[in-house]
Amino acid sequence: MQIKNENVQSWHQAVGVIKRFVVKIETPSGHGTGFVVPAPAGRKNASCLVTAYHVIEHAYKWNEPIRIVYPEDGKHFVLDSAGRTIIPAIGRDQAIIEFSVSDVNFPVEKLEFTDANEHYLDGNSIGWIGFPALVPDNACFFRGVISSYVGNSESYLVDGVAINGVSGGPSFVLNAQGKVVVIG
């Protein structure tokens, strides 16, 4: 089921669309951010999160626990190495965490993602949400401007704020049709 995502007129409304999907990811060595995505087809009771690989790298390599905090319902839970599957994409600094937890009410809708062949132009505004080290219990909104699309790494250079703890959170734009679209 797609989220209600039409005629978003402001960044405030866009944050409201995205924030329900955002989680804090804590490891023994620090924290970062992640967001809920649909589980692969056929995985009926699975939940999936996307984050930056460097957020969970040490926990992944050393089989350390990962604590997931979901502010939308106030729940948190710990995933040990046996209770999760991590699918790393190291070169892209991305990771998917797959697990099964029955008492967390993640959204059943799904976010809209940009088409892999669509690239936003230099000068477009972009937003992102994460849990900065300065206020680690607050999901904060940040905004910047695309400086350049880097084709060989399928990434953007952005003129904006980079703060420890925000890594792994969703980056998104408001497209011309008034929809919130995740681009990374």
Side-chain angles (χ1 to χ4, degrees):
M1 175 187 339
Q2 199 72 8
I3 59 171
K4 287 192 173 195
N5 183 14
E6 295 183 18
N7 299 321
V8 173
Q9 303 287 321
S10 70
W11 284 107
H12 170 75
Q13 290 172 313
V15 169
V17 169
I18 296 285
K19 220 173 197 181
R20 297 182 319 107
F21 294 85
V22 175
V23 300
K24 181 179 176 186
I25 299 174
E26 298 176 336
T27 69
S29 59
H31 82 273
T33 306
F35 58 101
V36 179
V37 295
R43 302 250 176 53
K44 197 172 187 180
N45 296 321
S47 295
C48 282
L49 304 173
V50 172
T51 190
Y53 177 70
H54 72 267
V55 168
I56 53 88
E57 178 179 11
H58 194 268
Y60 173 65
K61 286 181 176 178
W62 291 95
N63 293 320
E64 295 175 330
I66 296 173
R67 182 174 185 249
I68 307 297
V69 179
Y70 184 50
E72 283 295 304
D73 71 1
K75 300 232 173 159
H76 60 87
F77 51 91
V78 175
L79 300 171
D80 63 20
S81 60
R84 66 177 191 247
T85 300
I86 294 178
I87 305 159
I90 298 167
R92 296 176 64 108
D93 192 26
Q94 296 174 343
I96 296 173
I97 305 169
E98 185 179 333
F99 56 94
S100 179
V101 174
S102 60
D103 65 341
V104 177
N105 295 314
F106 288 139
V108 294
E109 309 91 2
K110 61 183 180 177
L111 291 167
E112 186 166 329
F113 284 79
T114 191
D115 181 290
N117 297 316
E118 184 175 7
H119 309 296
Y120 291 89
L121 300 175
D122 301 354
N124 275 351
S125 290
I126 178 176
W128 57 98
I129 296 176
F131 294 89
L134 297 169
V135 283
D137 295 325
N138 292 25
C140 297
F141 169 68
F142 300 91
R143 186 173 147 204
V145 177
I146 294 173
S147 296
S148 181
Y149 177 74
V150 184
N152 62 344
S153 64
E154 297 178 322
S155 61
Y156 292 95
L157 296 178
V158 176
D159 180 9
V161 176
I163 298 176
N164 286 344
V166 177
S167 294
S171 302
F172 54 96
V173 297
L174 295 174
N175 73 10
Q177 292 75 37
K179 291 187 176 186
V180 180
V181 180
V182 174
I183 64 170

